[in-house]
Amino acid sequence: MPSVDEHAALIAEIRSLAERTSRADPLDVEAEDQLSRAFFEFTPVGAVNTERPAMLVEQLERSAAISPLVPVDSKKPVGRIAKRLVRKLVFWYMSYVAGQMLRFASYATRLIIRHEERLTEIEEKLSMAHTPVTVLPEDLSEPIDLSGWSERVVGLLQSLAGGVTSEDGSDGPVPATRVLHAGCQDGLLVKQLRDAGVDAYGVDPRWSLVDAGLASDSSLDLREEEIFSHLASVGASSLAGALLTGFIEQLERHRLPQLLDVLRAVVAPGGLIVVVSVAPEAWARTRSTVDVDLAPARPLHASTWTTLLARQGFSDIDVSSLPGAYCVVGRRGP
Amino acid sequence: MRARAAHQFLATFLPRDATGLHALGVRRCLREAGWRSEIFAEAVHDDLASEAHHFREYSRLAEDGDLLIYQMTTATALAGFLASRNEALIVDYHNITPPELYDAWEPAVAQRNRYALDELASLADRSAYGVGDSELNCRDLRALGYERTRVLPLFIDMDRRFAWPDPGALRELEVLKSRGGSDLVFIGRLAPNKAQHDLVQALWVYRRLYDPRARLWLVGQPSCSPYAAALREMVAHLGLASAVHFRRGASDALLAAYYLSADLFVCASDHEGFCMPILEAMHHRLPVVAYSSSAVPETVQDAGVLIQDKSPVALAAAFDAACRRREQLVDDLEPAVRSRLAAFDTRAVSEQLLSLVAEVAGRVPG
């Protein structure tokens, strides 16, 4: 009989292969385009989310082409003849109505396309206006240096060693003990947390860093996984805390609400969120918060994290300075 | 002394429907434990006419100390009727598809689902217990104000349902199989939340990169016509008309044939309240590869492959890996599958139901 480990390893292998293949992107551009259009073309507006307004505009232009020539196909030969006859009889009427509708649709379509072009123009100008204001490592996939402040962070999370108790369980309180380090690199902080009695584990999509960490200490619970994918699989209120480092520096803005939503779901009431950003320039300098936050691929200002966490129901929010970094801590409310 | 009664209410009582089968299982269990138990419904299928009463008849048959169990699936006059009664009530919630998933496709269905959620919320204060067939459903109930919730698995008697696979269908499927290529199957209504379009796109990639002769079987009634039409058009547009086989709602015998003939059960649903076909696939020792969303992870647990990335390429790669190592997957998953199915053992579910009913009855004088 296969052991539990064997069966878990096989499942993990298939999952990992799927994720790696997806990242490798084996389809050519033409095939990808064909696929992304395939369903969209037949769906009502709003049914499929698309980040490509051009596809919506194409769909609009196609549907604005109103024809008075009603199809006459029929399974029965007589049906086809009858339909042709009816079409011929009412063609003068249909073409008059269709002509008016077509004129309206053309004006409406042109107007929408003009607005779309104007919007794109404004977006481009705005994007150029927001030049980067902070300095980040050239290659964001490079590991960040945690050594200067790791002990302070361990101190912040040490209170979770006994876990926190969630009231969410249907069968009474369920203690949550696990602390996730998202962006764990080689597991330095996971090891320090474990040594401090915290039930910590780490997730990082960079397999080389995770492998290096496991090679130096195979007893660490480190997983090579995409962080959002991992968070999606974590049960509600099952974490005592979450520490976020590294990946938040390059977080796309539209994913931020998703991250906060999922963190609120997975951290148990009373649990802690700790965000460490290694770009103190983002909040220490005199540039406005808006400038910093809107600059593409730049880290968020600490006060923005404070506001966003408070909106998600986190309390006791505290911002502190660390050597070469800043840290925002929030406690999940009930 | 006359036995106490626990009666069930449901909107439509249909044969082969998961809620209908569950209601029959609940009634059997209650009766065997000495309770009086009847089924009341708003609409009853002709085949089940002798098994149920119209719900308005309950007013005539009601007795002090009755317990009522509402098998909640949709917006119906039952909610108002039950809200106006005084008997102790248990709401057994079988999930309502989030309205936003239907907004663009069928606004009327989205609106009906909103009404249903309102009705569910309106019964929160009135209910002694909210019961769900998954933790996801219990979470929904708590969010709507239900204070006491509990997971109660569905009554599923798969040994009986799938005892006789359709021999004609088996032969036909074997002929197709002999031409080579893997067979992937998904059982479920054609509906936006089931996301069959993602399976079709994944099949397109799977055929292109791994197995050019693979087939996808989509078995289920179209429950959203615009979605079903768009799906068929996409299949034709991608040149998959001969590779994607649509089959409308099938009998248990036909379903058994599909489960037995397929190589994988695949699921890309964006929302499932429970997903019974996953367990049915496990019953047939058919490996499951599913996108991890809503209640799917808790239904699959460790007895199948859950994929976090829903891109067609990721799904196709998972299908390929699972097909290549199918035998090993079946063997390795066997203990987990057995333990998963054991959770739905009729005796275990009966014990949970009777303990729930006894707890509620204990609070209501008989």
Side-chain angles (χ1 to χ4, degrees):
Chain A
M1 182 180 286
S3 71
V4 174
D5 285 349
E6 279 171 14
H7 123 244
L10 179 60
I11 290 177
E13 194 183 320
I14 294 173
R15 282 173 59 169
S16 165
L17 177 75
E19 283 166 18
R20 277 205 303 273
T21 311
S22 178
R23 281 200 296 271
D25 203 6
L27 290 182
D28 56 60
V29 178
E30 198 184 322
E32 271 185 2
D33 191 56
Q34 188 184 352
L35 201 54
S36 64
R37 285 168 182 274
F39 189 53
F40 184 80
E41 289 192 6
F42 308 110
T43 59
V45 173
V48 177
N49 289 328
T50 177
E51 289 166 16
R52 300 165 68 179
M55 277 166 60
L56 265 177
V57 171
E58 277 176 36
Q59 204 179 27
L60 177 71
E61 280 183 314
R62 266 201 311 275
S63 54
I66 298 160
S67 168
L69 288 170
V70 181
V72 292
D73 290 343
S74 175
K75 285 176 186 164
K76 297 171 189 165
V78 183
R80 188 177 157 80
I81 294 166
K83 282 181 181 178
R84 280 178 76 103
L85 183 67
V86 172
R87 185 170 80 176
K88 206 167 186 177
L89 285 172
V90 298
F91 185 74
W92 62 273
Y93 176 79
M94 291 301 290
S95 58
Y96 178 72
V97 174
Q100 291 179 87
M101 288 172 70
L102 187 58
R103 199 172 315 125
F104 169 75
S106 306
Y107 286 136
T109 308
R110 288 210 60 75
L111 190 66
I112 289 168
I113 291 172
R114 274 194 69 179
H115 279 298
E116 163 59 20
E117 287 167 355
R118 184 84 185 110
L119 198 60
T120 309
E121 210 177 296
I122 292 169
E123 278 176 348
E124 278 170 9
K125 281 183 183 165
L126 273 176
S127 137
M128 280 189 288
H130 289 293
T131 50
V133 292
T134 55
V135 182
L136 282 174
E138 291 272 310
D139 181 357
L140 288 166
S141 64
E142 283 298 305
I144 56 171
D145 182 12
L146 316 174
S147 57
W149 41 264
S150 61
E151 281 181 19
R152 288 270 300 276
V153 173
V154 171
L156 286 169
L157 290 164
Q158 207 164 4
S159 63
L160 302 176
V164 293
T165 301
S166 159
E167 298 294 338
D168 281 5
S170 56
D171 298 325
V174 178
T177 55
R178 302 226 81 188
V179 173
L180 164 71
H181 180 189
C184 67
Q185 306 189 151
D186 62 358
L188 169 74
L189 262 163
V190 171
K191 185 173 187 317
Q192 290 182 356
L193 284 166
R194 189 191 63 183
D195 294 346
V198 179
D199 180 13
Y201 74 107
V203 169
D204 201 300
R206 293 164 293 184
W207 62 269
S208 57
L209 295 175
V210 173
D211 276 3
L214 289 172
S216 69
D217 185 345
S218 61
S219 66
L220 289 173
D221 184 355
L222 304 180
R223 305 169 191 186
E224 181 231 327
E225 236 177 305
E226 204 277 318
I227 289 159
F228 274 86
S229 301
H230 174 76
L231 284 170
S233 67
V234 175
S237 299
S238 59
L239 295 181
L243 166 63
L244 318 178
T245 61
F247 78 101
I248 51 160
E249 316 290 3
Q250 50 190 310
L251 191 65
E252 296 151 286
R253 291 294 170 266
H254 70 274
R255 302 198 80 181
L256 191 62
Q258 190 190 348
L259 175 68
L260 290 165
D261 278 350
V262 75
L263 284 172
R264 182 175 161 69
V266 300
V267 174
L272 290 179
I273 290 272
V274 178
V275 181
V276 181
S277 174
V278 290
E281 302 94 326
W283 63 297
R285 59 191 297 146
T286 52
R287 299 292 291 268
S288 82
T289 314
V290 176
D291 263 7
V292 174
D293 289 347
L294 289 184
R298 294 296 128 184
L300 286 184
H301 199 286
S303 59
T304 308
W305 275 111
T306 306
T307 309
L308 293 171
L309 287 172
R311 274 193 202 160
Q312 283 290 329
F314 287 88
S315 57
D316 306 336
I317 299 168
D318 184 52
V319 180
S320 55
S321 172
L322 303 172
Y326 74 76
C327 171
V328 185
V329 184
R331 187 175 294 281
R332 158 89 146 80
Chain B
M1 196 174 98
R2 189 165 155 80
R4 286 185 68 176
H7 300 305
Q8 296 178 82
F9 290 77
L10 62 162
T12 43
F13 190 30
L14 302 169
R16 294 200 303 274
D17 166 67
T19 313
L21 291 170
H22 176 63
L24 285 169
V26 168
R27 189 182 68 178
R28 189 165 50 245
C29 163
L30 288 168
R31 284 180 175 175
E32 282 171 8
W35 290 77
R36 287 181 295 116
S37 185
E38 299 294 335
I39 292 173
F40 296 87
E42 194 174 12
V44 180
H45 191 277
D46 286 349
D47 294 354
L48 295 168
S50 61
E51 300 284 345
H53 312 267
H54 189 269
F55 77 95
R56 297 277 178 207
E57 284 179 43
Y58 176 69
S59 305
R60 194 169 46 81
L61 302 169
E63 288 183 21
D64 287 346
D66 281 1
L67 301 187
L68 309 184
I69 302 171
Y70 179 24
Q71 306 290 353
M72 209 287 179
T73 53
T74 184
T76 156
L78 281 173
F81 175 77
L82 291 170
S84 69
R85 309 274 329 166
N86 295 319
E87 291 83 1
L89 176 68
I90 296 170
V91 173
D92 192 350
Y93 171 53
H94 297 277
N95 198 264
I96 290 155
T97 305
E100 55 273 17
L101 291 173
Y102 270 91
D103 271 331
W105 294 99
E106 279 190 309
V109 173
Q111 196 51 39
R112 194 181 65 207
N113 289 4
R114 287 194 177 90
Y115 289 144
L117 289 168
D118 288 347
E119 287 180 359
L120 187 62
S122 73
L123 291 171
D125 292 340
R126 158 90 184 77
S127 304
Y129 245 107
V131 174
D133 40 35
S134 64
E135 180 53 37
L136 177 99
N137 287 341
C138 288
R139 273 206 297 277
D140 282 356
L141 288 171
R142 286 195 290 278
L144 290 172
Y146 285 75
E147 283 180 9
R148 287 195 201 84
T149 62
R150 187 185 286 189
V151 174
L152 178 69
L154 289 169
F155 276 92
I156 307 169
D157 190 354
M158 285 191 278
D159 286 333
R160 195 185 323 180
R161 279 183 62 202
F162 299 122
W164 307 105
D166 186 294
L170 273 177
R171 269 196 303 276
E172 186 193 337
L173 289 163
E174 280 310 311
V175 169
L176 276 174
K177 203 161 206 42
S178 65
R179 296 178 194 162
S182 310
D183 284 292
L184 316 177
V185 66
F186 174 71
I187 314 274
R189 294 174 295 114
L190 296 185
N193 59 303
K194 307 275 181 188
Q196 282 96 342
H197 62 281
D198 286 323
L199 291 176
V200 171
Q201 294 193 347
L203 177 79
W204 187 81
V205 176
Y206 181 49
R207 284 167 61 97
R208 200 178 171 100
L209 298 180
Y210 305 106
D211 181 354
R213 284 181 291 184
R215 290 168 294 272
L216 173 65
W217 298 85
L218 296 175
V219 184
Q221 291 284 357
S223 74
C224 171
S225 309
Y227 179 78
L231 193 62
R232 285 173 192 278
E233 287 194 86
M234 180 180 78
V235 166
H237 180 78
L238 289 173
L240 293 173
S242 60
V244 178
H245 300 266
F246 290 94
R247 293 288 182 270
R248 296 174 79 91
S251 65
D252 289 339
L254 275 171
L255 287 182
Y258 291 121
Y259 284 125
L260 287 170
S261 305
D263 295 293
L264 281 186
F265 180 85
V266 293
C267 172
S269 294
D270 288 316
H271 181 86
E272 291 284 358
F274 175 68
C275 201
M276 170 93 96
I278 287 177
L279 285 178
E280 294 173 354
M282 288 178 188
H283 173 79
H284 291 90
R285 300 307 188 261
L286 178 61
V288 173
V289 175
Y291 170 56
S292 178
S293 78
S294 51
V296 171
E298 60 173 303
T299 304
V300 174
Q301 294 191 3
D302 59 350
V305 182
L306 287 170
I307 300 296
Q308 314 290 339
D309 182 349
K310 203 194 188 185
S311 67
V313 171
L315 288 174
F319 297 166
D320 179 58
C323 278
R324 278 178 201 281
R325 304 178 70 174
R326 188 179 183 282
E327 297 310 317
Q328 189 190 354
L329 203 55
V330 172
D331 290 346
D332 283 10
L333 291 181
E334 179 58 23
V337 165
R338 241 185 290 135
S339 124
R340 197 69 201 100
L341 293 171
F344 296 86
D345 173 71
T346 309
R347 261 181 304 178
V349 181
S350 294
E351 276 173 26
Q352 293 178 58
L353 170 70
L354 293 174
S355 120
L356 171 76
V357 171
E359 186 186 333
V360 176
R363 284 193 249 129
V364 185

